[in-house]
Each structure stands twice: as C-alpha cells, then as structure tokens.
Amino acid sequence: MTPKLYIYDHCPFCVKAEMIFGLKNLPYERIILLNDDEATPIGMVGRKSLPILEEEGRFMPESMDIVTHIDQQGTPVLTGTPNPAITEWISVTSSTLYNLFLPRAACAPLPEFATTAARAYFLTKKEAATGPFFEILRDSEAGIGNLNVMLKMLAPLIRSPEAVNGTLSTDDIHLFAHLHSLSLVRGIVYPPAVEAYRQTMSRLSGVGLYDAIAA
C-alpha cells in the first residue's frame, strides 16, 4: 500500500519528511490537514504534531524518524557525512528566519489555512510566542538584511548543487527545509551557489519553493 504522509504545507519538519520520498523517487499520498484539526493527529499519535507517516495502519511521528525509516528502505541515499558548519549556520539563522517566516505563512494562500478558523488558530498560537505579526512585518528590514549577509557566508560551504557536502546527507534535509521557509520572505538575495542549490534540491526532492508567493 502507498504510504500516507499527513502534513502542513508550510511546516519545515513536514518538508523534511516529504524530501526523502522525492530523493528516493518513492510514491506517497500527501494529505494536508487544516491547521485547527487537533482530533486527527491526536487520534493517531496522541498529540497535535505533524508530519505523521501512516503505513499499513501504523503511525509514525517525528520528521527525522520518518526520514531514517524511509531512507532505509532499499538503498539509502543519505550516505554523506554531515558538516558541523552547516549545522551552525542553520542554528545561527533560525531565530531570525522563523520570526520573519511565521507572519508571512499566516497570510499565505496555503491549504492548511483554507478556513478562517484554521488561519485564526495558527495566528493565535504563534503570536502568543512571537508577538503581533503586524509589528514583525512592519519591522522586517533589519532581519532580511541580516539573512542576506548570512547567505553570503553559506555560499562557500556548498560543494555541489546536488548535495551541500558533495554527497547527499541529513544536512541536505535540514538545509533545504530551512531555505524552503526562507523562500516565503521577499527581499532575500541568493548568491549564485545558494540559488543553484535550492533550485536543484527543489527539483530532486519534488518540494516546490514559495518564490511566487513571497511577501
């Protein structure tokens, strides 16, 4: 039976789970839940958390557990050695990225926000942690400038458009999910090496970027 993957389109952890299916060219059924649907994931794994993989009536949460499980089916593709510099770059940029990303996700035409209630649920939950989204959107210039500087520092770390370290590894899962979220932020300038990498990884993984709806 074709595995089912329950996701939110905007969720970087869900992007990670989707990527491994694309990188291994394996079929799966993509099921997007409304953001205010608590009952479905709680019924599967006991908490509201996506992604969730369903195989033959069994459910698996946690993005990297799903990545490892799927990669171990047949010949693994994530065989490269991670680079601590990539982990550090992701860590240093995460706070700024998600501060900019979340209010833009709340406004985006994404299927998990197909109802007013679902969008309001997301906004209420996230604003409780970040503060008012309108203030973040108003004051985005400094954060965007910081990320553009950091992208210049990422560029020389990319050894190949097809794998950040030259051979596919878990670094590619984490880095592309990060860049996927970044693609929703207008004003980001991608150095040529970063642009080639994110476009190539989008094609290889089958996970589209948000460039056309960036705000």
Side-chain angles (χ1 to χ4, degrees):
M1 296 177 62
T2 302
K4 296 179 180 179
L5 191 62
Y6 297 84
I7 64 166
Y8 304 127
D9 193 271
H10 76 277
C11 167
F13 301 103
C14 299
V15 167
K16 294 178 185 184
E18 287 195 274
M19 285 181 70
I20 192 61
F21 285 94
L23 293 173
K24 288 180 68 74
N25 197 28
L26 294 175
Y28 70 104
E29 183 178 352
R30 187 175 192 260
I31 301 172
I32 300 176
L33 300 184
L34 287 171
N35 199 255
D36 62 341
D37 180 354
E38 297 181 344
T40 299
I42 290 174
M44 292 174 178
V45 298
R47 65 185 188 275
K48 185 183 184 294
S49 177
L50 296 183
I52 297 171
L53 175 67
E54 179 183 359
E55 289 182 311
E56 299 179 349
R58 295 188 297 272
F59 300 100
M60 175 183 289
E62 302 298 337
S63 58
M64 293 310 293
D65 287 349
I66 294 170
V67 168
T68 299
H69 172 71
I70 297 300
D71 195 34
Q72 289 174 347
Q73 297 181 15
T75 303
V77 296
L78 303 177
T79 58
T81 302
N83 178 358
I86 298 297
T87 302
E88 176 67 12
W89 188 90
I90 292 172
S91 177
V92 168
T93 56
S94 286
S95 178
T96 302
L97 167 59
Y98 290 110
N99 193 54
L100 294 172
F101 170 73
L102 290 173
R104 289 164 170 81
C107 301
L110 301 175
E112 57 263 44
F113 307 133
T115 67
T116 300
R119 196 178 297 273
Y121 180 98
F122 179 84
L123 190 147
T124 300
K125 292 284 187 180
K126 300 303 183 184
E127 279 193 325
T130 66
F133 280 172
F134 80 89
E135 292 183 359
I136 297 172
L137 291 168
R138 182 193 63 200
D139 301 329
S140 292
E141 184 176 351
I144 292 171
N146 176 265
L147 289 174
N148 282 335
V149 170
M150 293 301 297
L151 284 165
K152 291 179 181 179
M153 298 174 67
L154 173 64
L157 299 176
I158 297 176
R159 295 181 59 185
S160 166
E162 297 183 347
V164 66
N165 301 321
T167 302
L168 283 172
S169 69
T170 54
D171 276 354
D172 293 293
I173 300 295
H174 298 305
L175 179 59
F176 178 75
H178 206 65
L179 294 173
H180 177 267
S181 295
L182 191 57
S183 71
L184 193 56
V185 181
R186 184 184 299 165
I188 296 297
V189 179
Y190 300 99
V194 180
E195 177 66 6
Y197 174 79
R198 72 187 196 107
Q199 294 292 346
T200 302
M201 196 56 55
S202 175
R203 175 176 55 80
L204 293 175
S205 68
V207 178
L209 295 163
Y210 287 140
D211 295 349
I213 61 169

